[in-house]
Amino acid sequence: DTSLTEVNSFSPSVPISPSSMINQYKFEDGPELRDLFITVDDPESHITAIETFITYRVVTKTTRGEFDSSEYEVRRRYQDFLWLKSKLEEAHPTLIIPPLPEKFIMKGMVERFSDEFIETRKKALHKFLNRIADHPTLTFNEDFKVFLTAQAWELSSHKKQGPGLLSRMGQTVRAVASSVRGAVKNRPGMFTEMNNYMETFSQKINLLDKIAHRIYKEERDYVNEMKEFGPIHTLWSASEEDIADSLKGIASCIERCCRATEKRMAGLSEHLLPILHEYVLYSDILMGVLKRRDQIQGELDSKVDALANKKTEKDLFSEEIGKLEDKVERANNALKADWDRWKQNMQWDMRSTFTNVAENNLRYYEE
C-alpha cells in the first residue's frame, strides 16, 4: 500500500517537470534529532603473507553521556562487521538486524577488490552502521559501542570474551531441535499474517531485483552499441560531401543520447539496485526472525505438553513454563514493534526510490 491513490492529479497551473514531481508526494517525517553520527570511508588495502583484505575508517561523533569522548576514529575490516551482526542477532534474536553486503560479489557485476566493488561495499557498510544507530534498541547495544570505539587490539580482546564452544553448541542443538518439531501450534494470528506477508514480499522483491538487473544490462549493451555507432557516422561523413553535415549531426545526436543513457544508468546503479538488493537480504532476515520467534514458542509448547502428560515434577515445570511465557511475550513485543518500524521504513524507501527512478526517466527522455 503506497497510498498513491491519495495523491491529487497534477495541477494544470503547475508545470510538470522532474524537479517538481517529487514534491507531489508526501513522505513521512524525517528522523528525530540524532545524537550519534557515523561515517564509513577511506578504504585501505592490506597485503600479508596469508591474505589480502580491505579496512575502512569508521568515524563516530556523539553527544551521548555513556561515551568517554565525543569523537572516535577506528579502522575495521569486513570480518569485524560480521562479528557485530552476529552479536546483535545473539543479543536480540527477534529484532530485525540490518543486512550486510555479501562477502563475495553477486551476479558477476564487478570483480572483488576492484574500485567499484570497494566503493559499493563502503556505502553498504555505512548504511548498515547508520541503520543500527537509528534503531531505538540496537543503538544502545554494548557490542555496538565497543565496535565504534575500541582500537584493533581492544576489539580482538573483546571478541575472545564471547560464549564458549560448548555454549554455542548447546544453542545450535536447541535451535535444530526446535526447528524439527514442525509447525507451531499456538502461534498468534498476527505472526502467521507476518509470515504470509514476507513470503509474498520475498517473491516480489526478488522479481523486482532480477528485472532491475536485466534493465541495467540491456542499457549497458545499448550504450556500448551507441559508442561504436556514433564514430561510424563521423567517418562516413568524410567520404560523403553532399550529406556530411547530416551525418555529423546524427553522430552528435548519438553522442548526446549516449551521455544521457550513461547518466540514467548511474542513477540505476546508485539508487535503485542497492535498495532493491538490500530488501532482498531483508526478506531473508525477516524470515529468520520469524523462525526464531517460532522456536521460542515451540519450546514453550513442548514444556506445556510435557506438563500435561505429567512426565516430570509439576512444580519444576510450572516455574520453567512461567519463565518461557515471559520470554515468548518479550519476543512477541519486540518483533511487533520492530515489524511496524521496518514496514514503515521499507515503504518510505520504496516510494522515494521509485519516485527517484521516475524523475530520472523524465530527465532522460527530455534530454
Side-chain angles (χ1 to χ4, degrees):
D1 175 19
T2 55
S3 303
L4 294 184
T5 53
E6 299 174 7
V7 180
N8 294 326
S9 58
F10 294 116
S11 168
S13 61
V14 179
I16 301 176
S17 68
S19 59
S20 67
M21 179 180 174
I22 199 165
N23 295 325
Q24 301 291 330
Y25 298 87
K26 182 180 179 182
F27 298 116
E28 289 87 348
D29 294 333
E32 297 176 1
L33 291 175
R34 293 171 58 187
D35 55 6
L36 186 63
F37 297 88
I38 304 169
T39 304
V40 178
D41 60 11
D42 190 26
E44 190 176 286
S45 296
H46 301 263
I47 301 174
T48 69
I50 303 173
E51 61 179 341
T52 300
F53 60 93
I54 308 292
T55 63
Y56 301 85
R57 181 174 65 173
V58 178
V59 177
T60 304
K61 296 182 181 181
T62 183
T63 56
R64 291 184 185 175
E66 64 265 28
F67 285 82
D68 296 330
S69 176
S70 61
E71 186 169 342
Y72 296 87
E73 181 178 317
V74 296
R75 294 203 73 85
R76 297 286 181 256
R77 58 184 296 184
Y78 181 78
Q79 289 180 355
D80 299 326
F81 287 86
L82 277 178
W83 169 83
L84 173 61
K85 185 173 186 292
S86 69
K87 295 298 287 185
L88 292 173
E89 288 174 344
E90 181 184 312
H92 309 282
T94 55
L95 289 182
I96 303 167
I97 312 300
L100 272 174
E102 296 95 338
K103 185 172 180 60
F104 299 105
I105 194 68
M106 303 298 286
K107 302 185 188 298
M109 289 192 65
V110 290
E111 293 182 4
R112 193 173 177 226
F113 298 133
S114 69
D115 291 344
E116 184 183 350
F117 172 80
I118 293 170
E119 180 66 19
T120 300
R121 171 165 285 184
K122 182 193 76 174
K123 289 178 180 177
L125 296 176
H126 175 87
K127 178 177 280 191
F128 169 73
L129 291 183
N130 279 277
R131 286 206 186 274
I132 296 171
D134 290 339
H135 194 283
T137 301
L138 300 179
T139 188
F140 296 108
N141 178 275
E142 186 62 27
D143 290 307
F144 181 47
K145 179 184 173 184
V146 170
F147 178 91
L148 296 177
T149 61
Q151 293 304 313
W153 64 270
E154 294 174 306
L155 181 64
S156 179
S157 175
H158 183 77
K159 285 181 180 180
K160 293 175 183 177
Q161 298 171 10
L165 176 62
L166 291 177
S167 172
R168 292 199 298 273
M169 285 177 63
Q171 292 170 4
T172 303
V173 170
R174 285 197 299 273
V176 171
S178 298
S179 64
V180 298
R181 287 195 187 105
V184 178
K185 293 184 296 183
N186 300 314
R187 179 201 278 165
M190 73 169 296
F191 296 110
T192 299
E193 290 176 10
M194 281 185 194
N195 198 73
N196 294 339
Y197 180 97
M198 286 313 303
E199 286 179 356
T200 303
F201 178 84
S202 179
Q203 292 172 0
K204 291 186 176 182
I205 200 70
N206 274 280
L207 181 60
L208 282 171
D209 186 52
K210 288 177 183 176
I211 291 170
H213 276 91
R214 191 178 71 212
I215 291 171
Y216 184 84
K217 181 181 180 300
E218 289 174 354
E219 292 285 291
R220 185 177 58 196
D221 293 343
Y222 177 52
V223 165
N224 290 337
E225 286 186 9
M226 281 199 293
K227 284 181 177 178
E228 295 179 2
F229 199 45
I232 287 173
H233 284 77
T234 303
L235 291 171
W236 186 9
S237 68
S239 59
E240 295 280 359
E241 292 183 6
D242 294 342
I243 56 173
D245 291 342
S246 297
L247 292 172
K248 287 178 182 177
I250 291 173
S252 175
C253 174
I254 292 171
E255 185 182 347
R256 289 199 303 273
C257 288
C258 191
R259 286 198 300 267
T261 306
E262 286 181 325
K263 196 187 302 180
R264 185 192 195 190
M265 287 173 60
L268 291 173
S269 65
E270 290 175 17
H271 303 294
L272 178 64
L273 297 183
I275 287 289
L276 290 179
H277 192 62
E278 181 184 18
Y279 279 97
V280 167
L281 299 177
Y282 257 129
S283 67
D284 293 336
I285 288 169
L286 261 295
M287 296 302 285
V289 169
L290 287 164
K291 283 181 182 176
R292 288 195 289 273
R293 194 222 70 85
D294 283 353
Q295 286 168 2
I296 297 171
Q297 179 88 54
E299 196 174 350
L300 171 61
D301 292 346
S302 68
K303 295 289 184 184
V304 171
D305 290 344
L307 179 61
N309 296 331
K310 298 181 180 178
K311 290 180 180 176
T312 187
E313 282 189 38
K314 188 172 182 179
D315 292 342
L316 178 62
F317 259 49
S318 295
E319 184 180 347
E320 286 187 32
I321 287 172
K323 290 179 180 177
L324 282 170
E325 285 175 341
D326 290 341
K327 188 176 180 181
V328 169
E329 186 176 0
R330 288 196 303 272
N332 288 350
N333 290 337
L335 181 50
K336 283 179 196 174
D338 229 22
W339 171 261
D340 291 338
R341 181 179 179 277
W342 175 82
K343 203 170 176 184
Q344 184 179 18
N345 286 343
M346 178 270 292
Q347 290 175 342
W348 192 94
D349 281 343
M350 290 297 156
R351 278 204 293 277
S352 58
T353 296
F354 283 106
T355 301
N356 182 272
V357 170
E359 267 198 295
N360 286 338
N361 283 345
L362 282 170
R363 289 195 192 97
Y364 169 75
Y365 287 111
E366 284 179 351
E367 288 178 22

